[in-house]
mmCIF file of all heavy atoms in Angstrom:
data_model
loop_
_atom_site.group_PDB
_atom_site.id
_atom_site.type_symbol
_atom_site.label_atom_id
_atom_site.label_comp_id
_atom_site.label_asym_id
_atom_site.label_seq_id
_atom_site.Cartn_x
_atom_site.Cartn_y
_atom_site.Cartn_z
ATOM 1 N N TRP B 239 -127.034 -62.009 66.457
ATOM 2 C CA TRP B 239 -126.230 -61.633 65.280
ATOM 3 C C TRP B 239 -126.255 -60.123 65.014
ATOM 4 O O TRP B 239 -125.976 -59.679 63.911
ATOM 5 C CB TRP B 239 -126.643 -62.415 64.032
ATOM 6 C CG TRP B 239 -128.119 -62.588 63.820
ATOM 7 C CD1 TRP B 239 -128.936 -61.792 63.087
ATOM 8 C CD2 TRP B 239 -128.938 -63.651 64.345
ATOM 9 N NE1 TRP B 239 -130.224 -62.278 63.119
ATOM 10 C CE2 TRP B 239 -130.259 -63.425 63.877
ATOM 11 C CE3 TRP B 239 -128.700 -64.770 65.154
ATOM 12 C CZ2 TRP B 239 -131.330 -64.259 64.186
ATOM 13 C CZ3 TRP B 239 -129.768 -65.597 65.471
ATOM 14 C CH2 TRP B 239 -131.061 -65.344 64.990
ATOM 15 N N PHE B 240 -126.596 -59.360 66.055
ATOM 16 C CA PHE B 240 -126.493 -57.893 65.949
ATOM 17 C C PHE B 240 -125.443 -57.383 66.938
ATOM 18 O O PHE B 240 -125.731 -56.567 67.802
ATOM 19 C CB PHE B 240 -127.847 -57.233 66.235
ATOM 20 C CG PHE B 240 -128.847 -57.386 65.132
ATOM 21 C CD1 PHE B 240 -129.869 -58.316 65.233
ATOM 22 C CD2 PHE B 240 -128.759 -56.612 63.985
ATOM 23 C CE1 PHE B 240 -130.803 -58.465 64.215
ATOM 24 C CE2 PHE B 240 -129.687 -56.752 62.953
ATOM 25 C CZ PHE B 240 -130.717 -57.685 63.067
ATOM 26 N N GLN B 241 -124.242 -57.910 66.849
ATOM 27 C CA GLN B 241 -123.181 -57.507 67.763
ATOM 28 C C GLN B 241 -122.621 -56.135 67.398
ATOM 29 O O GLN B 241 -122.574 -55.765 66.235
ATOM 30 C CB GLN B 241 -122.032 -58.524 67.719
ATOM 31 C CG GLN B 241 -122.404 -59.902 68.193
ATOM 32 C CD GLN B 241 -122.765 -59.945 69.669
ATOM 33 O OE1 GLN B 241 -122.077 -59.363 70.503
ATOM 34 N NE2 GLN B 241 -123.854 -60.631 69.993
ATOM 35 N N ARG B 242 -122.151 -55.430 68.419
ATOM 36 C CA ARG B 242 -121.452 -54.168 68.186
ATOM 37 C C ARG B 242 -120.037 -54.473 67.670
ATOM 38 O O ARG B 242 -119.314 -55.274 68.269
ATOM 39 C CB ARG B 242 -121.379 -53.384 69.505
ATOM 40 C CG ARG B 242 -120.595 -52.087 69.453
ATOM 41 C CD ARG B 242 -121.266 -51.115 68.476
ATOM 42 N NE ARG B 242 -120.478 -49.909 68.362
ATOM 43 C CZ ARG B 242 -120.757 -48.790 69.004
ATOM 44 N NH1 ARG B 242 -121.795 -48.727 69.829
ATOM 45 N NH2 ARG B 242 -120.004 -47.734 68.841
ATOM 46 N N ARG B 243 -119.644 -53.877 66.527
ATOM 47 C CA ARG B 243 -118.297 -54.108 65.985
ATOM 48 C C ARG B 243 -117.358 -53.010 66.462
ATOM 49 O O ARG B 243 -117.757 -51.854 66.601
ATOM 50 C CB ARG B 243 -118.249 -54.099 64.451
ATOM 51 C CG ARG B 243 -119.521 -54.344 63.711
ATOM 52 C CD ARG B 243 -120.019 -55.740 63.748
ATOM 53 N NE ARG B 243 -119.092 -56.753 63.273
ATOM 54 C CZ ARG B 243 -119.372 -58.057 63.338
ATOM 55 N NH1 ARG B 243 -120.497 -58.484 63.882
ATOM 56 N NH2 ARG B 243 -118.518 -58.943 62.894
ATOM 57 N N ASP B 244 -116.104 -53.386 66.679
ATOM 58 C CA ASP B 244 -115.111 -52.385 67.082
ATOM 59 C C ASP B 244 -114.824 -51.430 65.926
ATOM 60 O O ASP B 244 -114.722 -50.225 66.095
ATOM 61 C CB ASP B 244 -113.800 -53.063 67.504
ATOM 62 C CG ASP B 244 -114.013 -53.840 68.795
ATOM 63 O OD1 ASP B 244 -114.947 -53.473 69.536
ATOM 64 O OD2 ASP B 244 -113.279 -54.825 69.028
ATOM 65 N N ALA B 245 -114.676 -51.982 64.741
ATOM 66 C CA ALA B 245 -114.383 -51.134 63.582
ATOM 67 C C ALA B 245 -115.551 -51.244 62.618
ATOM 68 O O ALA B 245 -116.012 -52.340 62.307
ATOM 69 C CB ALA B 245 -113.111 -51.617 62.901
ATOM 70 N N GLY B 246 -116.018 -50.108 62.160
ATOM 71 C CA GLY B 246 -117.154 -50.117 61.247
ATOM 72 C C GLY B 246 -116.738 -49.662 59.863
ATOM 73 O O GLY B 246 -115.568 -49.357 59.618
ATOM 74 N N PRO B 247 -117.676 -49.582 58.952
ATOM 75 C CA PRO B 247 -117.373 -49.117 57.604
ATOM 76 C C PRO B 247 -117.176 -47.600 57.603
ATOM 77 O O PRO B 247 -117.550 -46.919 58.561
ATOM 78 C CB PRO B 247 -118.648 -49.483 56.839
ATOM 79 C CG PRO B 247 -119.729 -49.494 57.885
ATOM 80 C CD PRO B 247 -119.090 -49.899 59.170
ATOM 81 N N ASP B 248 -116.592 -47.097 56.534
ATOM 82 C CA ASP B 248 -116.518 -45.653 56.338
ATOM 83 C C ASP B 248 -117.955 -45.124 56.301
ATOM 84 O O ASP B 248 -118.795 -45.647 55.572
ATOM 85 C CB ASP B 248 -115.800 -45.392 55.001
ATOM 86 C CG ASP B 248 -115.637 -43.903 54.747
ATOM 87 O OD1 ASP B 248 -116.291 -43.103 55.447
ATOM 88 O OD2 ASP B 248 -114.861 -43.565 53.839
ATOM 89 N N ARG B 249 -118.211 -44.077 57.098
ATOM 90 C CA ARG B 249 -119.594 -43.672 57.237
ATOM 91 C C ARG B 249 -120.129 -42.825 56.070
ATOM 92 O O ARG B 249 -121.316 -42.545 56.011
ATOM 93 C CB ARG B 249 -119.813 -42.950 58.565
ATOM 94 C CG ARG B 249 -119.114 -41.607 58.688
ATOM 95 C CD ARG B 249 -119.485 -40.956 60.004
ATOM 96 N NE ARG B 249 -119.069 -41.777 61.142
ATOM 97 C CZ ARG B 249 -119.535 -41.585 62.379
ATOM 98 N NH1 ARG B 249 -120.410 -40.641 62.636
ATOM 99 N NH2 ARG B 249 -119.090 -42.336 63.369
ATOM 100 N N VAL B 250 -119.238 -42.483 55.134
ATOM 101 C CA VAL B 250 -119.710 -41.629 54.034
ATOM 102 C C VAL B 250 -120.836 -42.325 53.270
ATOM 103 O O VAL B 250 -120.690 -43.438 52.782
ATOM 104 C CB VAL B 250 -118.564 -41.295 53.043
ATOM 105 C CG1 VAL B 250 -119.098 -40.445 51.880
ATOM 106 C CG2 VAL B 250 -117.466 -40.568 53.769
#
Side-chain angles (χ1 to χ4, degrees):
W239 42 93
F240 286 102
Q241 296 295 315
R242 176 63 183 260
R243 339 288 304 175
D244 292 336
D248 182 346
R249 67 176 61 195
V250 178

